[in-house]
Amino acid sequence: MTARLAFKRRDRLAREDTLYIADLINKRERALIKHQAPDWLFAFAWSPDGKTIIFAAGETDSMRRTMTISEVNVETGQEKLLMKPNWYLIRQIEWLPDGKGLLICAKESLSADIWQLSYPDLKLKNLTDDLNDYLSISLTADASRIVAVQSKLVSQVWVSPRLDARFARQIVDGRGRPAWTPDGRIVYGHDSGSGSDIWIAKPDGSEAKQLTDKSRVNSWPAISLGGRSIVFQSNRTGTQHLWRMNSDGSNQKQFTNGSGDRNPGVSPDGRWIYYNSSTDFSLWKISLDGGPRLKVTDEYCAYPSVSPDGKLIASFRFPGMATRPRLLSGALTN
């Protein structure tokens, strides 16, 4: 009798994932495969005959569709690439009891669907082509029924005349970080089902205007000095970069070229954009007019916010890629 378990360990300092096999009888474990970032390991599932594990790998930080589905021989550790679906993320993989197919919970757009993949001929079929987000799935022993956890995000932008939630009121549907313009308008993100766009409206929600036009995922707006430009992140080219546009949505231009640039924060003088890069998760800065990027930190610092006098920056700091973030404030030199 054998009782084995497959599990994953992530080493954030070495930036690698390892898939292990553990024998629950003799309490021994062995490493089966190891993947270096950005090819992180995600979902995995043991075949009914116990000879193969199907697994997903890729990265999600750059908003690229990098997910792959592969199989690994449990005894030899030999990997074989099966397919590269056009997906952002694979949350879960479950084998059908007869070993002739799998159910997969995966994101092709902003929400995850349930897919069926035949095996070994690898024919893919979408089972839930709707706007709902599916978080996880479970099959009965005979695969006659499936239960799924379904998520529906309801998100709005609220405005309050004072720092008291009792006076707040909803003005528009939106998500992510909203930003005020100097003339008192609000810039915010709004989902469109297949993606998200940047909108601008008056504080009461009137005169709402869409600034980006259904070009994948556009989010996290930041306003430059004087409100002349809006900086935002977009994956419209296939990889998430920082873009800028005029406050009316015109003249949209990409001005970073990393593997995943996000979370822009603008300095008060409008000269610098501070942001994160999925290349190393450090904090970087770049001129609003473009040019070479400059490294600010050697550690993971997320969601930068520059003080009004431009001398300090606040961010979430993840020391040594630890699991618990800390709020950090540090001095800046321009």
Side-chain angles (χ1 to χ4, degrees):
M1 175 182 176
T2 60
R4 294 181 294 176
L5 174 73
F7 67 96
K8 178 188 74 174
R9 285 196 184 109
R10 174 163 293 181
D11 187 330
R12 294 186 180 274
L13 293 178
R15 291 179 56 75
E16 63 185 21
D17 278 347
T18 305
L19 185 63
Y20 288 86
I21 300 295
D23 191 314
L24 301 182
I25 303 299
N26 59 30
K27 298 181 180 180
R28 294 177 181 175
E29 64 182 51
R30 64 181 174 90
L32 183 62
I33 56 173
K34 183 177 294 185
H35 279 221
Q36 293 284 338
D39 195 33
W40 300 105
L41 297 176
F42 284 88
F44 48 91
W46 214 312
S47 64
D49 62 9
K51 297 180 180 180
T52 302
I53 292 177
I54 299 289
F55 67 92
E59 61 92 18
T60 60
D61 293 303
S62 67
M63 288 297 291
R64 292 181 295 173
R65 300 184 181 189
T66 65
M67 287 290 114
T68 60
I69 298 176
S70 302
E71 65 180 9
V72 56
N73 185 292
V74 172
E75 298 304 320
T76 66
Q78 182 176 357
E79 297 182 39
K80 178 184 176 182
L81 176 65
L82 299 181
M83 66 184 306
K84 294 182 178 181
N86 193 32
W87 293 338
Y88 291 114
L89 174 66
I90 297 177
R91 285 179 171 160
Q92 185 180 354
I93 299 175
E94 292 288 338
W95 280 89
L96 297 177
D98 60 7
K100 295 182 179 180
L102 306 102
L103 292 183
I104 303 174
C105 188
K107 294 179 69 172
E108 185 180 36
S109 58
L110 286 183
S111 58
D113 289 322
I114 301 173
W115 304 72
Q116 183 172 344
L117 178 66
S118 60
Y119 183 86
D121 56 341
L122 304 178
K123 293 181 180 179
L124 197 61
K125 180 182 179 181
N126 190 339
L127 301 182
T128 58
D129 189 13
D130 55 45
L131 298 180
N132 295 310
D133 190 21
Y134 294 90
L135 302 183
S136 61
I137 53 178
S138 181
L139 282 168
T140 56
D142 61 0
S144 62
R145 287 180 294 176
I146 179 175
V147 61
V149 177
Q150 187 184 92
S151 172
K152 183 178 181 181
L153 176 65
V154 179
S155 179
Q156 301 101 14
V157 177
W158 291 64
V159 172
S160 176
R162 63 191 72 175
L163 294 177
D164 190 330
R166 294 176 300 172
F167 297 94
R169 61 187 181 88
Q170 177 192 342
I171 59 166
V172 290
D173 290 333
R175 63 175 301 182
R177 181 183 70 175
W180 288 98
T181 64
D183 62 0
R185 292 179 295 169
I186 299 173
V187 181
Y188 59 96
H190 186 275
D191 286 355
S192 61
S194 60
S196 64
D197 285 295
I198 305 294
W199 287 65
I200 190 170
K202 285 188 172 183
D204 60 0
S206 65
E207 298 184 20
K209 177 184 178 183
Q210 184 175 339
L211 302 180
T212 60
D213 188 16
K214 298 179 181 179
S215 47
R216 292 199 180 181
V217 181
N218 305 274
S219 59
W220 209 262
I223 310 302
S224 70
L225 181 68
R228 293 185 296 271
S229 297
I230 299 173
V231 179
F232 61 100
Q233 59 195 38
S234 175
N235 70 338
R236 64 183 67 183
T237 63
T239 302
Q240 191 164 264
H241 298 301
L242 297 188
W243 288 65
R244 61 175 292 183
M245 61 182 169
N246 296 335
S247 59
D248 62 358
S250 63
N251 197 29
Q252 298 185 22
K253 292 183 178 180
Q254 175 187 331
F255 68 97
T256 64
N257 292 282
S259 63
D261 309 316
R262 59 191 181 186
N263 307 329
V266 184
S267 64
D269 60 10
R271 291 177 54 200
W272 298 102
I273 306 299
Y274 293 86
Y275 66 97
N276 297 125
S277 171
S278 65
T279 303
D280 58 4
F281 299 100
S282 298
L283 190 64
W284 295 76
K285 71 175 184 178
I286 189 172
S287 168
L288 183 62
D289 297 323
R293 64 177 189 164
L294 303 173
K295 196 170 187 178
V296 179
T297 68
D298 291 320
E299 290 186 330
Y300 190 162
C301 291
Y303 311 114
S305 178
V306 186
S307 62
D309 62 6
K311 296 180 179 180
L312 297 172
I313 186 167
S315 70
F316 280 103
R317 178 188 176 213
F318 296 73
M321 295 296 291
T323 56
R324 282 183 144 186
R326 289 185 290 178
L327 188 62
L328 172 71
S329 177
L332 288 176
T333 56
N334 288 332

